[in-house]
Amino acid sequence: GALPLSGGTLNLANSCVTAMVRVAAMEQPEMAVHQVDLPAEPAAADLQCLHRLLSAGSAEHILAIRDGKTWAPRLTPVGEEGQAANPPRFAPGAYLVTGAFGGLGQHTVEWMAEHGASCFFLVGHHEPSAAARQWISALKDRGVDIREIIADVSRPEEIARIFDSIAHSGQTLRGVFHAAGNYEQGLLPQQTTDSFRRVFAPKVSAA
């Protein structure tokens, strides 16, 4: 029951498995790579459906079985009723953004600042680059309160130090945006246990 159907709750741990299935299917088209998700307590009809899938195969790489029926993920257009009537406004207080000095972190902070957030604790594994320094200066010129913290978010003691800094700042922490991540280029068969650990440490372990 890890894959959510329409309106279901997303299983974050399972999303890693789903992502690897998608990557493997694209990288190794000659292989039959599939993910079939069963309910936590499958009924007889679910097991019969799984047997039919294993016997006949499927062009779908990711499937969920519920009540003896198969479901496949699809993108559907969002109508006007699914869109927010008003853009979000962030409440006064502080917002913690990890991986803040990279591209994703910078875009996240820019978007939040445009929608009312005015105080940030920006966390990065390394000192900001010259370009990131210019970006931070521009934010400060706009009246945004920026606090920089250099920390390795994959280490629990570093996480504790970050939250201690926020607690002693007098600011109320309103939200956390986890944009930290590590990138290692390589096809899936080239990955090793160590490479997975290096990539998962700042993204998964830190979360």
Side-chain angles (χ1 to χ4, degrees):
L3 288 175
L5 301 187
S6 298
T9 302
L10 178 64
N11 185 313
L12 293 178
N14 179 74
S15 65
C16 295
V17 177
T18 302
M20 284 194 286
V21 169
R22 293 183 187 277
V23 170
M26 290 187 291
E27 288 185 356
Q28 311 291 327
E30 71 280 3
M31 296 177 61
V33 182
H34 300 275
Q35 177 186 8
V36 179
D37 184 64
L38 288 166
E41 297 182 0
D46 299 320
L47 297 177
Q48 291 170 1
C49 183
L50 176 62
H51 181 266
R52 290 194 298 271
L53 274 176
L54 293 175
S55 300
S58 173
E60 299 286 346
H61 293 290
I62 299 174
L63 289 165
I65 296 178
R66 300 290 187 274
D67 300 322
K69 299 178 181 179
T70 56
W71 299 78
R74 291 292 184 269
L75 292 175
T76 57
V78 177
E80 292 182 0
E81 68 279 2
Q83 299 175 356
N86 299 304
R89 297 297 298 177
F90 289 94
Y95 294 88
L96 169 63
V97 181
T98 67
F101 306 137
L104 179 59
Q106 290 186 27
H107 283 296
T108 300
V109 172
E110 283 287 348
W111 175 76
M112 294 175 65
E114 290 172 0
H115 292 86
S118 59
C119 179
F120 294 93
F121 285 82
L122 304 185
V123 179
H125 194 188
H126 304 288
E127 290 286 342
S129 65
R133 283 285 179 207
Q134 292 180 349
W135 167 71
I136 292 171
S137 295
L139 284 173
K140 291 180 177 179
D141 290 343
R142 288 156 49 188
V144 180
D145 184 1
I146 300 293
R147 321 285 180 92
E148 301 172 33
I149 301 176
I150 308 303
D152 180 355
V153 294
S154 68
R155 300 172 65 88
E157 63 271 22
E158 294 286 270
I159 293 291
R161 180 169 63 85
I162 291 169
F163 282 100
D164 283 344
S165 296
I166 297 173
H168 288 91
S169 71
Q171 294 284 345
T172 300
L173 182 63
R174 295 291 186 183
V176 178
F177 289 77
H178 184 40
N182 190 18
Y183 172 75
E184 289 200 19
Q185 187 173 356
L187 298 177
L188 200 56
Q190 299 169 341
Q191 302 303 315
T192 65
T193 301
D194 286 340
S195 66
F196 272 114
R197 283 174 178 159
R198 287 191 296 270
V199 171
F200 274 49
K203 177 57 68 180
V204 180
S205 300

